[in-house]
Amino acid sequence: MADIKSAKLISYVKIDFSTEAELELYINMFEKEGEDFWLQLKAMGLLRWRINRVWNKRGGFEISQIFEYKDEGSFVRGQELLGEILEGKKDFLGKINIKRTAFRNINIFDYYE
């Protein structure tokens, strides 16, 4: 039987872009650097990371990112690392007009197969 790890803390980030070109630039960055990004955060206790394109937003350009952490310590370490990573991307991110909205969640139920 497989060992299934359940996330204790979840961070859901919604990112709105002014144009589709900006959204594509952002996604392209993660296509190039995503594996390294994932491995760094995984070492801090991140269990899962997903980027999703929101398709039901008419006339808008939006993605969501979901970060699932094994516990509070992993979340704190992950947030510190994310701050460092974003600081290193300041020049790139400063050229893209984005609005970030973060939601922090505590996992109550988790049904999956």
Side-chain angles (χ1 to χ4, degrees):
M1 180 182 249
D3 180 29
I4 299 173
K5 298 177 182 175
S6 180
K8 302 293 183 218
L9 292 171
I10 300 167
S11 177
Y12 176 86
V13 181
K14 184 176 73 88
I15 304 172
D16 292 294
F17 298 86
S18 295
T19 66
E20 187 165 16
E22 290 174 323
L23 178 143
E24 294 297 332
L25 279 171
Y26 190 86
I27 291 172
N28 188 38
M29 175 190 68
F30 280 110
E31 286 176 341
K32 291 178 182 174
E33 302 175 25
E35 186 172 358
D36 185 51
F37 180 81
W38 157 249
L39 292 173
Q40 288 181 66
L41 286 166
K42 183 179 176 184
M44 299 291 135
L46 186 68
L47 299 175
R48 185 176 190 182
W49 169 55
R50 292 174 31 183
I51 293 181
N52 306 295
R53 176 141 187 201
V54 178
W55 57 269
N56 66 334
K57 185 164 182 182
R58 181 168 266 199
F61 309 101
E62 184 176 302
I63 64 167
S64 66
Q65 292 190 61
I66 300 171
F67 300 84
E68 297 182 12
Y69 296 93
K70 73 177 182 179
D71 56 30
E72 185 177 350
S74 299
F75 171 78
V76 170
R77 289 187 302 275
Q79 292 301 297
E80 291 170 358
L81 179 59
L82 276 170
E84 293 172 17
I85 292 170
L86 291 175
E87 183 64 29
K89 295 285 180 204
K90 198 169 166 178
D91 289 340
F92 172 78
L93 294 173
K95 296 174 185 167
I96 299 175
N97 187 21
I98 62 174
K99 178 183 174 190
R100 294 171 48 104
T101 307
F103 303 90
R104 308 298 191 234
N105 307 284
I106 297 172
N107 193 16
I108 297 174
F109 295 107
D110 194 0
Y111 294 97
Y112 57 89
E113 199 172 324

